[in-house]
Amino acid sequence: MRKHLKVIMLGFVILVWGVCSSTSGRAYGAISTATTQEIDKVNEKGPYLGIIVPNSFEMNPLLQSPSFVADLEVPYLDYFGKRFRFGKVENERVIIVMTGLSMLNAGITTQLLLILFKVKGVLHYGIAGNANPQLQIGDVTIPQYWAHTGLWNWQRYGDGPNEELALESNGDYTREIGYLRFANYQNASENGKPIDNFLNNVWYQPEEVFPADGIPEVRQHSFWVPVNKHYFKVAKRIEGMTFQGCVNSTCLPRAPKAVRVKRGASANAFVDNSAYREFLNSKFNITPIDMESAAVALVCHQQQIPFIAIRALSDLAGGGSAVSNEADIFASLAAQNAVDASLRFITLLFP
């Protein structure tokens, strides 16, 4: 059934992307015969573990690792701005692809990976901001759930928590997840109470999802997207694993460690604000904050592909001094720690 679905989806992509043609007759967006043959050749060696990485500085430590061996016949395939690299990691066949910054790039890249290639599971790794004061920079986190915290219903000024949101009655929006009240974060108060704020409240919303085994165009909703249960169970075996903690002469208070956590969050915002960090942690029990993981999770959830994300903490979001950010110092260390944890996870997942 899944193979049949992939054929249908691939055909749809070819049809839609091949509609426009230039005067020379070249079809823009269509998959050429040569590319189709290359994809078929790659898929004959599948299925693969898909490894999805946000940026080059996070991907390069993996590519430069002796654990990665590029495929000699087809080392990579370039397709519409994406380079899909083929090879083996710890003797497991993998496809490595970089998304670029943001939820949109991450979602598009994940969908292309799953449509074009025979993928049996997805590992996403990278660095993240930290919202959990119990952990430190360099620690590697493996959340059980991911949420997109950038989908809001911004409530009009004058309405409060007891007033219905616009389009809530249609089932488009909900007040079940919770909201952020801007007035709670002002410096000024009146009679001990926060002064009202014209920005009012934003209510967090679940994503509309259309699972592969669902009824087409009949939406479902998902806010907390779980990682694969088996993958999360395997990840327990790397808890306590320690990593390097120094960048040149700058060292962390203790050796970073791997830890499974309850929740992570993604949105199209780089969070370097302590008030919002504390809100996310206290309201939702969130630890890592990034800009891609939830998009990868949502696409895998809809396509029913096993998924897990490993994120190493590069900074305390909004922490440190007012003139510096720890990410400038520790991003490279966090990236390497994420790679080391991912390599260990792969060896345990496919013994």
Side-chain angles (χ1 to χ4, degrees):
M1 175 67 182
R2 184 174 294 164
K3 182 177 180 182
H4 179 65
L5 178 65
K6 276 194 171 186
V7 171
I8 294 174
M9 293 177 70
L10 181 57
F12 176 75
V13 171
I14 294 172
L15 175 65
V16 173
W17 287 353
V19 168
C20 298
S21 301
S22 68
T23 55
S24 64
R26 180 180 180 273
Y28 286 98
I31 302 178
S32 68
T33 301
T35 299
T36 301
Q37 291 172 346
E38 289 290 284
I39 292 172
D40 290 342
K41 186 185 299 183
V42 167
N43 283 333
E44 287 175 0
K45 298 180 181 180
Y48 295 85
L49 174 69
I51 301 179
I52 300 176
V53 194
N55 294 297
S56 59
F57 77 90
E58 295 158 306
M59 180 175 63
N60 287 339
L62 175 60
L63 299 180
Q64 295 163 5
S65 167
S67 297
F68 172 66
V69 180
D71 187 88
L72 295 178
E73 187 178 9
V74 185
Y76 64 86
L77 176 66
D78 291 340
Y79 185 74
F80 281 85
K82 303 298 178 185
R83 172 162 290 186
F84 297 91
R85 293 174 167 86
F86 312 105
K88 289 186 177 181
V89 169
E90 304 295 356
N91 210 36
E92 182 65 28
R93 291 195 180 278
V94 299
I95 302 175
I96 303 171
V97 62
M98 188 189 83
T99 67
L101 188 73
S102 85
M103 297 282 287
L104 178 62
N105 280 324
I108 290 173
T109 305
T110 305
Q111 188 67 72
L112 280 173
L113 173 72
L114 300 185
I115 287 177
L116 296 174
F117 302 106
K118 191 182 295 184
V119 175
K120 62 183 176 182
V122 168
L123 166 63
H124 175 59
Y125 79 82
I127 69 172
N130 177 25
N132 186 343
Q134 303 303 313
L135 298 180
Q136 72 162 29
I137 292 168
D139 285 344
V140 177
T141 62
I142 309 165
Q144 186 177 9
Y145 296 93
W146 284 93
H148 175 203
T149 52
L151 184 59
W152 298 344
N153 183 308
W154 205 314
Q155 194 172 30
R156 70 170 60 188
Y157 179 69
D159 285 354
N162 295 324
E163 273 79 36
E164 190 174 87
L165 301 175
L167 302 181
E168 182 179 349
S169 60
N170 297 342
D172 293 334
Y173 300 101
T174 179
R175 283 173 289 157
E176 292 181 1
I177 296 169
Y179 67 100
L180 169 66
R181 183 179 182 229
F182 285 95
N184 290 345
Y185 295 90
Q186 296 184 153
N187 292 327
S189 62
E190 189 174 275
N191 299 323
K193 296 182 179 180
I195 298 175
D196 212 2
N197 190 303
F198 288 127
L199 291 176
N200 203 22
N201 308 316
V202 291
W203 291 81
Y204 291 83
Q205 301 299 317
E207 288 276 1
E208 290 187 354
V209 295
F210 301 86
D213 64 344
I215 301 173
E217 299 182 357
V218 176
R219 66 183 178 183
Q220 298 179 24
H221 289 93
S222 183
F223 187 72
W224 296 115
V225 181
V227 303
N228 179 264
K229 290 182 179 179
H230 175 62
Y231 284 17
F232 193 64
K233 183 178 180 180
V234 171
K236 183 176 176 59
R237 296 172 62 188
I238 68 172
E239 280 195 298
M241 179 180 176
T242 57
F243 308 90
Q244 61 176 314
C246 295
V247 177
N248 299 323
S249 60
T250 304
C251 294
L252 296 165
R254 62 162 172 80
K257 61 183 180 181
V259 57
R260 296 191 306 171
V261 297
K262 195 68 176 177
R263 293 168 173 171
S266 309
N268 280 335
F270 185 93
V271 178
D272 191 25
N273 182 277
S274 60
Y276 192 56
R277 171 196 81 208
E278 292 167 1
F279 169 81
L280 288 176
N281 182 254
S282 62
K283 178 70 177 178
F284 298 122
N285 191 23
I286 284 168
T287 296
I289 311 169
D290 67 38
M291 301 173 69
E292 296 86 20
S293 295
V296 180
L298 281 159
V299 174
C300 289
H301 174 63
Q302 293 191 100
Q303 301 303 318
Q304 299 182 323
I305 297 294
F307 158 83
I308 198 166
I310 295 175
R311 287 282 186 159
L313 306 176
S314 61
D315 61 288
L316 181 64
S321 71
V323 295
S324 68
N325 186 287
E326 300 92 337
D328 295 334
I329 301 172
F330 292 106
S332 61
L333 179 144
Q336 184 62 58
N337 290 354
V339 169
D340 292 345
S342 297
L343 291 174
R344 180 59 179 156
F345 173 78
I346 293 171
T347 63
L348 294 171
L349 186 62
F350 306 106

